[in-house]
């Protein structure tokens, strides 16, 4: 339902000006409130559209933008990300009032931080909208602006002890020191995580408080909790008492990432091996997911299961399977070709085993890419960072593995899996 725009709309330099008010609402009663607001303010011919953020983006892509936009955010799963994308098509002086059903302080703060003039929870009234207009006229109330959407990279190990922390820390170091990017490195194992120790840092208090009380999350809290490895690489970690049970509040992951997104190019996360709500949410928000595994037969099963799970949960993300400590025969390793055959998964990267890595990194207080930068393992880890950052030239991309010939159903590769792998495949 669209109200026609007056043919006598003001023009500037021959270019038609947009309407004074554009309202993209899902519920008819909210459309009526928008009309009442326009009438009360003396605005001619407001544009009222059925729909939320998607309708708003479709309009501003094709028509002159309005002075004020009222947009319903109930049609999107991630309102902050969706409005940030919408901002790419909006002039900086356009005001935005968001309306929605979610009554969450963390969402309100994230939207205000993005540049939204006000967020009003349903049901809305004329008086509520007039109050939001007063917020629009405050001195520092501008329109939404495109914010730096840091690329989130999540690493998870197929099994314990495969070197996920080594990979996550080394890749983050390479992004910061080799490719000069601003990186936030997060260790989400609040009891047993050792990312901070990998950099010879001592965890500071603050991460647990941020996750348990997301309403307190702001840039000041996180800046005091983050450890500075260098001006471009900061680490957020914890070492909580084992007797304490950590309760991650709903919305805490989103609130933390929303603060970190504006100050970083990459957010690299080392995830623990459990699939709680917070871990699932992090995987959902990730643009890249790296599953780290060794080449043991025991790890093959969990690599297969975890890869299928990640693809189902976040199909749009970039998915990488990373073989670590390749060549460590004492770990029950099978050949790379055999591992790929039984799992039907192609390894995107194979990081060679370095016998002296543990001693060298622990004695220097540095990650592998820093302490042993001339080794083949460090080179492979830099290659992972290069892929994640999109720094590699198009001509250097590795050719896709040759497609396996289609075999009769009984002879397909997964039919040769051991019984415990068949159940998971």
């Amino acid at each position: 339902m669209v109200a026609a725009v007056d043919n006598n709309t003001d023009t500037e330099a021959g270019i038609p000006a947009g309407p004074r008010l554009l309202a993209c609402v899902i519920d008819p009663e909210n459309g009526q409130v928008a009309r009442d607001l326009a009438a009360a303010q003396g605005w001619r011919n407001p544009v009222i559209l059925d729909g939320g953020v998607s309708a708003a983006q479709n309009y501003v892509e094709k028509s002159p933008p309005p002075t004020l936009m009222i947009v319903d955010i109930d049609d999107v799963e991630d309102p902050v990300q969706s409005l940030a994308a919408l901002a790419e098509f909006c002039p900086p002086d356009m005001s935005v009032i968001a309306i929605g059903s979610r009554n969450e302080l963390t969402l309100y703060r994230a939207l205000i931080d993005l540049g939204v003039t006000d967020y009003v929870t349903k049901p809305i009234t004329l008086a509520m909208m007039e109050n939001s207009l007063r917020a629009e006229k405050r001195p520092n109330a501008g329109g939404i602006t495109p914010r730096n959407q840091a690329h989130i990279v999540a690493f998870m190990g197929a099994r314990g002890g495969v070197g996920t922390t080594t990979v996550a820390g080394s890749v983050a170091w390479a992004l910061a020191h080799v490719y000069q990017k601003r990186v936030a490195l997060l260790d989400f194992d609040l009891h047993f995580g050792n990312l901070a120790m990998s950099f010879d840092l001592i965890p500071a208090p603050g991460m647990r408080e941020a996750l348990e009380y997301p309403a307190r999350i702001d840039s000041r809290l996180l800046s005091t909790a983050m450890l500075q490895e260098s001006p471009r690489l900061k680490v957020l970690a914890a070492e909580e008492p084992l007797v304490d049970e950590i309760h991650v509040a709903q919305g805490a992951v989103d609130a933390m990432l929303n603060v970190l997104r504006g100050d970083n190019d990459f957010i690299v996360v080392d995830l623990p091996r459990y699939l709680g709500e917070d871990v699932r949410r992090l995987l959902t928000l990730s643009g890249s997911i790296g599953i780290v595994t060794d080449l043991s037969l025991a790890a093959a099963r969990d690599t297969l299961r975890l890869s299928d799970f990640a693809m189902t949960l976040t199909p749009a993300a970039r998915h990488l399977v990373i073989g670590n400590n390749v060549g460590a025969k004492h770990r029950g390793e099978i050949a790379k070709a055999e591992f790929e055959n039984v799992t039907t998964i192609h390894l995107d990267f194979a990081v060679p085993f370095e016998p002296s890595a543990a001693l060298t990194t622990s004695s220097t207080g540095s990650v592998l890419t820093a302490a042993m930068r001339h080794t083949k393992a460090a080179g492979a880890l830099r290659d992972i960072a290069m892929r994640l950052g999109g720094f590699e030239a198009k001509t250097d991309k590795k050719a896709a593995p040759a497609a396996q010939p289609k075999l009769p159903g009984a002879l397909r590769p997964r039919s040769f899996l051991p019984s415990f792998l068949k159940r998971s495949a």
Side-chain angles (χ1 to χ4, degrees):
M1 175 174 60
V2 183
V5 181
D6 189 357
N7 293 329
N8 296 322
T9 303
D10 294 336
T11 62
E12 182 176 344
I15 301 175
R20 180 63 178 85
L21 171 65
L22 168 66
C24 299
V25 293
I26 297 173
D27 309 304
E29 56 269 27
N30 295 330
Q32 186 57 51
V33 171
R35 291 188 188 86
D36 294 342
L37 175 67
Q41 299 296 319
W43 299 334
R44 299 174 56 193
N45 301 306
V47 176
I48 314 296
L49 302 179
D50 287 330
V53 178
S54 57
Q57 181 164 332
N58 185 60
Y59 181 90
V60 297
E61 283 180 356
K62 302 174 181 178
S63 307
T67 306
L68 170 65
M69 178 192 295
I70 299 173
V71 58
D72 195 325
I73 62 173
D74 280 349
D75 66 328
V76 292
E77 182 178 348
D78 189 338
V80 177
Q81 185 173 357
S82 298
L83 286 180
L86 175 62
E88 301 289 343
F89 303 94
C90 300
D93 58 345
M94 188 183 80
S95 298
V96 177
I97 298 175
I99 64 174
S101 301
R102 293 168 56 182
N103 188 10
E104 300 173 9
L105 178 60
T106 53
L107 174 61
Y108 173 81
R109 294 178 66 175
L111 292 174
I112 296 301
D113 182 52
L114 179 63
V116 170
T117 302
D118 199 7
Y119 172 59
V120 183
T121 55
K122 300 176 182 178
I124 65 172
T125 64
L126 175 59
M128 294 165 68
M129 301 310 294
E130 289 177 332
N131 186 57
S132 294
L133 279 183
R134 286 191 285 272
E136 178 204 10
K137 297 173 183 177
R138 286 198 296 262
N140 296 319
I144 56 176
T145 56
R147 61 186 300 177
N148 177 29
Q149 291 294 307
H151 186 78
I152 302 174
V153 182
F155 289 101
M156 178 177 277
R159 294 181 67 81
V162 297
T164 309
T165 296
T166 298
V167 172
S170 297
V171 168
W173 186 93
L175 287 169
H177 290 274
V178 178
Y179 298 108
Q180 301 297 302
K181 298 298 179 181
R182 299 170 301 163
V183 182
L185 178 58
L186 279 57
D187 189 341
F188 256 75
D189 190 339
L190 275 63
H191 285 122
F192 297 103
N194 60 356
L195 253 181
M197 187 170 62
S198 300
F199 291 93
D200 199 22
L201 300 171
I202 300 175
M207 184 174 185
R208 175 179 177 177
E209 179 184 359
L211 292 173
E212 291 187 327
Y213 304 99
R216 302 177 185 176
I217 294 179
D218 55 23
S219 57
R220 179 177 297 180
L221 172 64
L222 292 185
S223 65
T224 58
M226 298 192 80
L227 312 168
Q228 182 167 299
E229 186 274 341
S230 68
R232 290 184 177 273
L233 176 58
K234 297 180 181 178
V235 182
L236 183 60
E239 191 175 319
E240 297 299 329
L242 299 184
V243 296
D244 291 357
E245 186 175 354
I246 310 298
H247 300 281
V248 178
Q250 185 176 6
V253 170
D254 292 70
M256 178 178 290
L257 295 180
N258 284 336
V259 173
L260 294 174
R261 275 173 171 154
D263 298 324
N264 297 281
D265 301 306
F266 289 88
I267 300 173
V268 179
V269 188
D270 182 6
L271 291 175
R273 277 191 77 246
Y274 78 93
L275 296 176
E277 184 179 346
D278 54 329
V279 172
R280 292 171 185 261
R281 183 57 180 161
L282 266 163
L283 289 172
T284 301
L285 296 173
S286 297
S288 297
I289 298 173
I291 297 173
V292 183
T293 181
D294 60 25
L295 300 192
S296 65
L297 189 60
R301 178 196 65 171
D302 290 333
T303 300
L304 183 61
R305 299 174 67 206
L306 196 54
S307 177
D308 287 347
F309 170 77
M311 287 290 294
T312 301
L313 189 68
T314 318
R318 177 196 290 119
H319 294 264
L320 301 176
V321 179
I322 303 162
N324 193 35
N325 289 320
V326 175
K329 298 296 184 182
H330 66 282
R331 300 172 65 91
E333 179 178 299
I334 61 177
K336 177 176 178 287
E338 185 180 356
F339 184 91
E340 293 179 332
N341 185 52
V342 299
T343 59
T344 68
I345 293 176
H346 171 69
L347 289 180
D348 296 280
F349 294 95
V351 182
F353 174 61
E354 291 289 347
S356 60
L359 179 61
T360 303
T361 54
S362 61
S363 62
T364 59
S366 303
V367 291
L368 197 151
T369 40
M372 307 177 70
R373 62 184 67 191
H374 299 299
T375 62
K376 291 182 179 180
L381 291 165
R382 287 194 297 271
D383 287 344
I384 298 172
M386 183 170 64
R387 172 82 66 87
L388 292 171
F391 305 116
E392 59 184 339
K394 293 182 179 180
T395 55
D396 293 335
K397 289 185 177 179
K398 296 179 181 179
Q404 296 181 350
K406 293 186 177 181
L407 303 175
L411 297 178
R412 286 177 184 159
R414 289 196 181 188
S415 66
F416 293 102
L417 296 176
S419 58
F420 72 90
L421 280 175
K422 285 182 183 178
R423 292 195 298 270
S424 305

